Structures are given as structure tokens and as C-alpha cells.
Amino acid sequence: MKKNKNENNIKQAKEFLLTTPYVLWAMLILITGLFTITQYPRQTRTSFSYRIGDVAKRDIKAPKNFFVEDKEATRIKKNEVKESVKNVYDFDSNLMEKISSNIDASMKIPQELFKKAKEQDPEQDLPLAIVLDKKPEFEEKLGIEISKGAYSILFKDRFSSDTSQKIKTIIEKILTNGIVANKEILLKELNKGIILRTIGSTEERTVNNLKIFYGPDQAKTMVRIEGQPILKDINYNLSNLIVDLCQRLLQPNITLNKNETEKRIQQAKAQIKPILYQIKTGEMILREGERIDKVQLVKLLALQDQVKEKNVLISSTGIALITFFSILVIYLLFLKDHKRLQTAHNKHILFLALGLVLYLTFAKSATYIAQSTNPEATWDIASLSFFMIIPIPSAAMLVCLFLGFDIAVFFTIILSMLTSLLFSNNFEVFIFFFLSSITAAYWVRERQARKNFIIAGFKLAIFNSVLALSIGFYSLAQPDVIILTKEVVMAFCGGLFSATLTIGFAPLIEFLFDYTTDSKLLELSNLDQPLIKRLMIEAPGTYNHSIIVATLAEAAASAIDASGLKAKVMGYYHDIGKLDKKLYFIENQADGKNRHDKLSPSMSALVLIGHVKKGVGLAKTYKMGNEIIEGIMQHHGTSLIKYFYQKSLKSGNDTVKEENFRYPGPKPQTREAGIVMLADVVEAAVRALDRPTPARIQGRVKELINDIFADGQLEECELTLKDLHQIAKSFNNILTSIYHSRIEYPDKSPGKNQEKKKEKNDTSKGTDRQSAAKENPKPNNPPKDQTDLKRLGL
């Protein structure tokens, strides 16, 4: 009980979704919202993707007045200023005083010892050992270590003041000239000079002659040169010792001040103002076909950085309105009242909506993939040719496959337009996908076998390649062979991908939306199908009738270029509803008893009408698809059950209503359904003919088609008079072959021949087709239209 209740709820919900118009509005709003959201991040700034030497793909004008900074020129100017700033060196003027103080302090220690020794005993020399004890203290004060030999030489000289004075004189001469720690670095500034700043004061001077300063090694050499005149009168050992001490006591008094130099460089850079260009409103920044130069690239970069006039909310609203009204207009003008979409309208629109969302998702995903692999491409995704590989034509192929070529064209317009919006509103993207899609749809509109999809895929790949070349020649001022080759390869692969995707999606869509394709029709045409087997076993007469109807329908459909496969399958299954009450149809009455003899005419009519409803129910149970179900519903149209209607009139019932004896319809809506109706009537009537000669068959076919035509049963399908003529010729050929004359073998019992003849003349009673002329007295029920299609089928 609970399970049935849940099934009923699901069924009601499904019926509501497939019938209410609010679902269509919900889908439109949802698609508009999703598409606007995907476009939202792209509206925050204007962007361009060009490099120096590229060719402009479109004109670009300034939307407002603004200034452009030439960042490269400004950088170059700042580098020039940096190069012009002189390095700052510090001059330590107190270094000489410090060294002199150290010399005096160190010499004073041994001099004090000599002084004390002389005061105690003028005649007694001071022992060396006592002076050696003060050597560490001497070295500490002097700042350097000396050997015992050097210390002994100074001891012999009694650490005289004259020696210390000579040392200070030589050092002073060297330091006065200046010693720099790294003369190689200093000489790099030879062209612009340096700033020499005295430590401890604000005094500074510019020095351009940098060669005058000594390096450490050069200073040591100069000690010997400067000391030569000063030391010429003293002994050799003491002279060498003084030179060695001077060389070791010397220190650089000119050092590079990096912090001060960098500070002055930054101050100089800060004085440089940006180099600006003024751009006026409407000024042409770039013309289509021009080669990008340095100045134009600077302007484009500034336009990206400064032009922010796009309001995100306003821009998103514009995208939403364009999407909303584009879909709405196409729907109202071309899809709302389209004949193909009248039945299960919401289902078809849902299929189109899901296809639109799915393939726009493919396109958007492709942009994300391209941007992740090439971040620079985010500036102008439309300038890249990778879009040609996206299988957008597959959507048009699928729509054409299930809903027809004209609907595929309208769908392609919307899909191509929205895809071009994804690619920066690029017109070339629209042209490529529109032409590619409608061409792909055209190539699959008639032939729906799997191999034909592959053939169409290769044809589409070649067409896409030519289209890619055409767009390349149009968009590139100077076509690049590498770029064109890449575009052709991508376009070729895109065609193959489209066909592959169509083959993969087609069975899934068949299952989800209960559509019928040629592939499914081929499966249903297999005579091992369960319903066909049931007909063969349970209702062999109906089975035989259905086989002949299918044969007639297939041949007639082929003669007028309709779908022979669809007509044949409709013929196989048009009478499956007779399985419910098979013995009430004369072709299944093997015992010769007619069940309708015990029923009132109105009840018999209800039984005959009921087989249509039962057939629709069986077809839905076995999931045969809408086209077969519609064929079952329409194969009688709204035709009159004449036999029982006349029988009811003859019974004296004055309240008989003709509509109670008509099938509920609808009338055939397609050429194939119309053909099945004609084949059904003709087969049943010709089967009832006595001695069906070619002339009698031809006359009966003509009469029946005239009656159906006059009754208005064919007015809603697209069968023309020329088609009816070809159908009649096809019926005549096949029926004449089926009911050809045979040699009549003599029977020993003449009475039995008369009995068979009588039975044959009564075969039309109680069936759903009353075809014998004598059972249709015309005076009591004149036809609505006296139109007579003369020479029909001749």
C-alpha cells in the first residue's frame, strides 16, 4: 500500500513537472543566473593580452581621460640618476693621532725602565732580561706583536724618542695621502669621482682624482720610499725594523659608507617624477591590424590599471538581461508553438536546457584549464585558438538527432552566442561554432546509424579545419604558419571529439528522456521482441496483419522519402492493444464464432476503441518511446467505426451519436503515422476481398484512400496528393504480389466449396475495419467531402 502511494506521488510530481509552465520560467531564470555567476569575476577590470610585435585584433579607444605612466622610461631615468650619484667614502682624520698615541705609550714603558736604572746606578747598564719582561705590555700598547730580535734592536737603541718620531713621521706622510681598503672598487668610480666625508664633522669634498689614494699593498711600498731619506743615517737593522713597524701599524683611513651612499641614491630617485602621457577620451590607442610597439603597449597596460569605469553590478545585470531575453525570444518565436514540441513540451525544453548548461560548462571549463596552464592568457582568452577544440557542435548533433534539424538551428544560435560571451564577446567564436554546429547537425539529420556519426565527425573535422584557416586569414594581418597550423589541428580534433561525444551521449539521452532514435527503432524491429512474440503466439491473426501492414508502410514510406524504418516499426506495434481482447477481433477468431454477435453495437465500438488505449499502455510499459506510442494513438485517427454505427442506426435507436463511434484520435501528425493508417485500412479491406484480382485491389485501394482523405484524417500530417499517389502505387504492387492468383485445385465435395465461399464473404464482420462495400450503405451516411482522387495509384 505504502509502495503504491509513493509511486503515485512520484507519478504526480512527474506529471506536474512535465505540464506546468512554471517549470519553464524556473529553468530560464536558473540558466540566466548560473551564466551570469560564471561571468561575474571577468567584469572587474578591462584586460588585454598583447606583447611587443603582436598584431592588434581589434580597435581600442580610450573610454575616458587619463594619464599613462611610462614605467620603463621612469625606471631608466631612475637608473640614470642612481648611476650619477657619487659613492660616499669616510675619511678618518683621527687615525694618525690614535696610532701616534699608541707609539708614545708603548715606547714610554721601556724608557721608564732605562730612566730608573740610570738614576740608581749611572754606570750600570740595564739588563735585557728586565726589559723583556715588559714586552707583552709593550705589544699591548703598540697594538701589534714583535719578535724578540726586533725588540732587542729597539733595546740597543734604548727605545729612543728619535726612533718613535721617525715612525710617526713616515706613517703620517702615508695617512695624509690616504689609504683605501679596496682600491679596485674605488677605481670603478673613476669617471664620476667620490664624495670624501670627514668623520666627526660635516666637512666633505668631491674627489675626482682617485689614483692618488694608496691601496694597502701600495701603502706598504710607499713606507720604504718615504722612509728612505729619513732613515739614511741610521744602521741597517734599525732602518728595516722601523719600515716593518710602519707597514704593520698602517690602517686604511678611507672606507666606503654603503648606508650613506644608498640613502643618497634613494633621495635622488625620490626627486624623479613619473614620466606621463595624457590620453584623451576617444583617442585611438590601437587600430586593428597594427603591430604593437613599445608606446602602445605602455598605454594598454595603463588602460588595464586605471580604467575601472565598469561597475560590476551594472555589467552583471547586462549579462543577465542579454541571456534572459535571447533565450526568451528564441523560445517564444520559434520553439513555443513548434509542431515537434507540442507533445511532452516541458520534457523537450528540459532536454534543451540541460544541453545548453552542459555544453556551456564544457566551454567554461576549457577557459579555466587554459588559464591554469597559461596564466598570461587570462588577459584576453578570446585571442587564443584553443576554443576550436571544444566539442560544441556535439550539442547541435544531439538536438538534431532527437528533435530535428530546424530546432537544432535555433538551439545553435543561443549556444553559439552565449559561448562567444564566455570568450570575451568574440565574434569569431560565434561564427566558428555557429557554422560548425549547423553543418554537423545537417550531416546527421537523415542518417542516424553509429557509423554515420563517425563519417560525419570526419567531415566536420575537415570543415572545421577549413573554417579555422578562414578565420585565421581574416583575423591575422600577417598569417603565421605556426599559429595557423595549431588552429587547424585543434579544429580538426574538435570535429572528431564532437562525433565521439555524440555517440557516447545518445544512448544515455535515449534512456533518460525516453527518446526514439534509428538505433532504438532497429532494436524494436527485431521480431524476437517480447511483444512481437506474444502477438505471434497469442494473436497470430493480428501478428500476420501487423507484418503485412509493416511491409506496406515501409515500402510506401521509402517511396515518398519518409522514414521507412519508423513506419515499419509503427506497423509492427500498431495493434498490440488487441492482446487484451484478442478474440473480439475477427482475424483471431479461429472457431468461427463472432463475440460481437452477443454485444450491443455501442459495446462493440467500446471494445474496438479500447484496443488503442491498451496498446498505448503496453507500449509505455515496455518503454518503446514516444514516437511508437504516438503511432499507436494515431493509427485510427478519429475515424468512424462504420459497421457498428450503421448497425446501431438500423436497430432503431434514435439517440445514436456519431462521436460515440469514432476513435478518440488524434489524427496522424506525421507522414509515417498517416502511412500506417492507410496501410492498416487497406490491408484489412483487401484481405476481405473475394477474388482479389489486380484490378479489384487497385480499385479498393483507391476507394479507401479517397474515403480517408475525404474524412479529413490526413489533414494534420504532411502527406501531399503526390505522396498519396506514390503510396497507392506502392500498396498496389505489394498487395498484388501477396494476393496473386493461384491454380484452384478441384474439390470432391462441391458443397464444401460453396461453404468456403460464403465464409470468405463474411470475413469483415466484427473486426475493427469494416471494408466491404455492401456493409457501408452510403445513402444513410453520406461522406463529408465528395472529393474523389481519380487515377490514384495508376
Side-chain angles (χ1 to χ4, degrees):
M1 185 72 179
K2 187 176 180 180
K3 183 178 179 181
N4 292 335
K5 186 177 180 180
N6 291 335
E7 290 178 355
N8 289 334
N9 291 336
I10 294 172
K11 186 177 180 181
Q12 291 176 0
K14 185 177 179 180
E15 289 179 356
F16 175 79
L17 292 175
L18 294 179
T19 55
T20 179
Y22 298 112
V23 173
L24 303 181
W25 286 104
M27 285 190 289
L28 176 58
I29 294 171
L30 182 62
I31 291 173
T32 302
L34 291 175
F35 186 76
T36 304
I37 290 172
T38 60
Q39 289 294 89
Y40 181 85
R42 297 175 61 85
Q43 308 305 316
T44 56
R45 62 187 297 168
T46 304
S47 61
F48 307 96
S49 177
Y50 287 114
R51 297 178 180 176
I52 294 177
D54 289 349
V55 176
K57 293 183 177 293
R58 60 188 177 94
D59 292 342
I60 299 176
K61 293 183 180 180
K64 58 182 287 187
N65 291 333
F66 65 96
F67 287 95
V68 178
E69 179 187 354
D70 188 342
K71 294 183 178 180
E72 182 64 19
T74 303
R75 185 185 64 81
I76 293 173
K77 184 67 175 176
K78 288 184 177 181
N79 286 338
E80 291 175 356
V81 170
K82 175 183 177 181
E83 294 299 324
S84 66
V85 174
K86 295 178 174 62
N87 287 346
V88 178
Y89 280 80
D90 289 336
F91 176 69
D92 189 359
S93 60
N94 297 322
L95 182 59
M96 182 60 212
E97 183 179 347
K98 179 181 177 182
I99 294 174
S100 179
S101 175
N102 290 342
I103 293 172
D104 290 340
S106 61
M107 288 291 190
K108 186 176 180 181
I109 294 171
Q111 286 175 358
E112 289 290 335
L113 292 177
F114 278 106
K115 184 178 180 182
K116 288 181 179 180
K118 188 175 182 180
E119 289 176 355
Q120 292 176 1
D121 187 359
E123 300 296 331
Q124 183 70 31
D125 291 334
L126 183 66
L128 177 60
I130 296 175
V131 180
L132 282 174
D133 290 339
K134 294 293 183 179
K135 181 175 177 290
E137 187 178 353
F138 176 86
E139 291 174 338
E140 182 181 356
K141 292 292 184 181
L142 186 59
I144 60 174
E145 294 181 358
I146 61 174
S147 64
K148 287 184 179 181
Y151 196 75
S152 299
I153 293 172
L154 291 174
F155 174 78
K156 292 178 181 179
D157 188 51
R158 294 179 174 272
F159 297 91
S160 65
S161 299
D162 182 59
T163 300
S164 61
Q165 185 60 42
K166 286 182 173 58
I167 293 173
K168 289 189 284 185
T169 300
I170 295 171
I171 291 176
E172 184 177 10
K173 285 186 175 183
I174 303 300
L175 291 178
T176 301
N177 186 78
I179 303 175
V180 65
N182 192 329
K183 192 171 182 179
E184 290 182 4
I185 295 177
L186 177 68
L187 292 178
K188 291 180 181 180
E189 311 296 325
L190 192 62
N191 294 329
K192 63 180 181 181
I194 64 171
I195 300 294
L196 191 60
R197 188 179 68 167
T198 302
I199 297 176
S201 69
T202 59
E203 179 184 350
E204 62 181 42
R205 60 191 176 93
T206 301
V207 179
N208 294 317
N209 185 10
L210 304 181
K211 294 182 179 181
I212 63 173
F213 299 122
Y214 301 142
D217 294 335
Q218 190 178 7
K220 291 179 181 179
T221 303
M222 291 306 298
V223 166
R224 190 170 296 279
I225 295 172
E226 293 290 345
Q228 186 174 3
I230 298 173
L231 304 175
K232 63 180 180 177
D233 295 332
I234 61 177
N235 66 72
Y236 178 77
N237 290 334
L238 182 57
S239 174
N240 283 340
L241 177 58
I242 292 173
V243 169
D244 181 62
L245 290 175
C246 289
Q247 289 176 340
R248 295 177 63 191
L249 289 171
L250 281 175
Q251 299 177 25
N253 61 343
I254 299 175
T255 55
L256 175 64
N257 190 331
K258 292 184 179 180
N259 292 334
E260 182 64 22
T261 301
E262 186 62 30
K263 179 181 176 182
R264 296 191 182 194
I265 289 173
Q266 295 303 325
Q267 288 175 349
K269 285 183 177 181
Q271 299 296 323
I272 302 300
K273 294 182 179 180
I275 299 175
L276 302 175
Y277 298 99
Q278 185 179 16
I279 306 298
K280 296 284 188 178
T281 303
E283 180 179 339
M284 185 66 73
I285 298 175
L286 200 60
R287 293 186 183 276
E288 182 181 356
E290 284 185 344
R291 191 174 289 276
I292 310 299
D293 59 23
K294 181 179 176 182
V295 175
Q296 289 170 326
L297 183 61
V298 168
K299 292 179 181 180
L300 288 175
L301 294 177
L303 185 61
Q304 177 182 335
D305 293 336
Q306 296 188 25
V307 177
K308 299 178 181 177
E309 80 288 349
K310 266 193 174 182
N311 183 282
V312 173
L313 179 61
I314 293 176
S315 181
S316 298
T317 303
I319 289 289
L321 290 176
I322 290 173
T323 306
F324 182 87
F325 285 112
S326 298
I327 297 175
L328 184 63
V329 167
I330 292 293
Y331 172 75
L332 293 177
L333 295 183
F334 304 110
L335 301 180
K336 181 181 178 183
D337 299 319
H338 196 283
K339 188 175 181 180
R340 187 72 181 268
L341 304 180
Q342 290 304 302
T343 306
H345 183 76
N346 282 16
K347 183 186 79 170
H348 298 316
I349 299 301
L350 177 62
F351 164 60
L352 294 175
L354 291 179
L356 189 65
V357 171
L358 178 64
Y359 282 88
L360 286 176
T361 301
F362 288 163
K364 190 64 180 178
S365 300
T367 63
Y368 284 136
I369 293 172
Q371 291 170 3
S372 62
T373 55
N374 184 11
E376 295 180 0
T378 58
W379 279 31
D380 188 5
I381 206 71
S383 65
L384 303 177
S385 57
F386 80 94
F387 69 85
M388 296 179 181
I389 202 173
I390 304 174
I392 295 295
S394 171
M397 296 169 79
L398 288 170
V399 173
C400 180
L401 179 64
F402 294 110
L403 298 179
F405 178 72
D406 51 346
I407 296 176
V409 172
F410 303 137
F411 176 80
T412 297
I413 293 173
I414 290 295
L415 181 58
S416 300
M417 186 192 70
L418 295 183
T419 305
S420 67
L421 290 178
L422 287 175
F423 288 87
S424 304
N425 312 327
N426 192 284
F427 182 69
E428 297 162 16
V429 176
F430 174 82
I431 288 295
F432 180 83
F433 284 132
F434 178 72
L435 295 179
S436 178
S437 297
I438 61 173
T439 305
Y442 178 81
W443 279 326
V444 299
R445 69 191 180 109
E446 295 294 344
R447 300 172 180 174
Q448 299 178 2
R450 298 287 187 256
K451 67 176 183 178
N452 291 323
F453 289 147
I454 298 174
I455 295 172
F458 277 101
K459 291 164 70 176
L460 179 62
I462 297 171
F463 177 79
N464 282 359
S465 301
V466 176
L467 192 58
L469 279 176
S470 304
I471 292 176
F473 291 147
Y474 164 76
S475 60
L476 298 176
Q478 295 182 352
D480 189 308
V481 175
I482 296 177
I483 294 177
L484 288 176
T485 302
K486 181 178 69 173
E487 292 180 349
V488 168
V489 170
M490 288 190 172
F492 188 88
C493 293
L496 298 181
F497 291 163
S498 297
T500 304
L501 211 58
T502 303
I503 295 172
F505 275 151
L508 180 63
I509 294 172
E510 278 184 18
F511 174 77
L512 293 177
F513 291 92
D514 198 22
Y515 282 137
T516 304
T517 62
D518 282 1
S519 300
K520 187 171 183 178
L521 290 174
L522 284 171
E523 294 175 4
L524 294 174
S525 66
N526 188 342
L527 296 181
D528 287 332
Q529 289 288 329
L531 277 176
I532 300 295
K533 282 190 172 183
R534 282 189 61 188
L535 274 179
M536 182 173 60
I537 295 170
E538 299 176 23
T542 301
Y543 170 80
N544 181 262
H545 163 72
S546 298
I547 295 297
I548 297 176
V549 168
T551 303
L552 292 171
E554 182 180 17
S558 300
I560 65 170
D561 292 328
S563 175
L565 178 60
K566 186 188 298 183
K568 178 174 73 173
V569 176
M570 284 183 180
Y572 282 153
Y573 294 94
H574 76 285
D575 272 346
I576 57 175
K578 292 181 179 179
L579 285 169
D580 183 56
K581 291 182 173 62
K582 48 187 174 293
L583 295 180
Y584 283 85
F585 299 93
I586 196 165
E587 67 265 26
N588 298 317
Q589 295 173 358
D591 55 2
K593 296 180 181 179
N594 192 338
R595 270 63 174 175
H596 290 278
D597 292 341
K598 297 180 180 181
L599 299 178
S600 65
S602 59
M603 185 58 68
S604 294
L606 288 176
V607 172
L608 297 185
I609 292 171
H611 91 277
V612 175
K613 184 177 180 181
K614 295 294 183 180
V616 170
L618 279 173
K620 288 181 178 179
T621 301
Y622 284 84
K623 299 185 182 301
M624 291 188 166
N626 283 333
E627 293 188 351
I628 304 304
I629 293 172
E630 289 171 359
I632 295 172
M633 293 172 63
Q634 298 166 16
H635 82 278
H636 282 298
T638 59
S639 60
L640 181 67
I641 305 176
K642 295 178 182 179
Y643 179 80
F644 292 112
Y645 178 64
Q646 296 294 338
K647 185 177 180 180
S648 181
L649 289 176
K650 289 177 181 179
S651 66
N653 188 356
D654 298 332
T655 60
V656 177
K657 294 182 180 180
E658 183 178 311
E659 57 266 24
N660 293 336
F661 289 85
R662 283 190 177 273
Y663 287 95
K667 296 176 181 179
Q669 304 295 306
T670 63
R671 296 201 296 170
E672 291 80 8
I675 291 171
V676 172
M677 168 184 270
L678 296 174
D680 187 27
V681 172
V682 166
E683 197 282 331
V686 172
R687 182 188 293 268
L689 282 177
D690 184 21
R691 296 190 306 276
T693 63
R696 298 188 70 182
I697 290 174
Q698 184 175 306
R700 193 69 176 124
V701 168
K702 173 180 174 294
E703 177 187 351
L704 292 170
I705 294 179
N706 265 308
D707 289 346
I708 293 172
F709 178 80
D711 194 32
Q713 297 300 317
L714 303 178
E715 61 188 12
E716 295 182 12
C717 65
E718 298 176 354
L719 289 175
T720 64
L721 293 178
K722 181 180 179 181
D723 291 339
L724 293 178
H725 178 69
Q726 294 297 327
I727 291 169
K729 285 180 66 176
S730 175
F731 285 172
N732 291 336
N733 292 334
I734 294 176
L735 291 171
T736 300
S737 299
I738 293 175
Y739 298 106
H740 63 275
S741 59
R742 295 180 175 85
I743 297 174
E744 187 172 344
Y745 294 96
D747 198 309
K748 295 180 180 180
S749 176
K752 190 175 290 185
N753 287 337
Q754 295 295 326
E755 185 179 346
K756 288 182 180 179
K757 186 174 182 181
K758 183 178 179 182
E759 288 177 359
K760 190 169 185 180
N761 289 334
D762 291 338
T763 53
S764 63
K765 284 187 177 183
T767 186
D768 61 327
R769 297 292 179 191
Q770 293 73 37
S771 51
K774 64 183 180 180
E775 294 168 354
N776 184 20
K778 293 183 179 179
N780 294 334
N781 185 28
K784 294 181 180 179
D785 189 347
Q786 295 296 330
T787 303
D788 186 9
L789 303 180
K790 297 180 179 179
R791 299 185 57 78
L792 187 67
L794 300 179

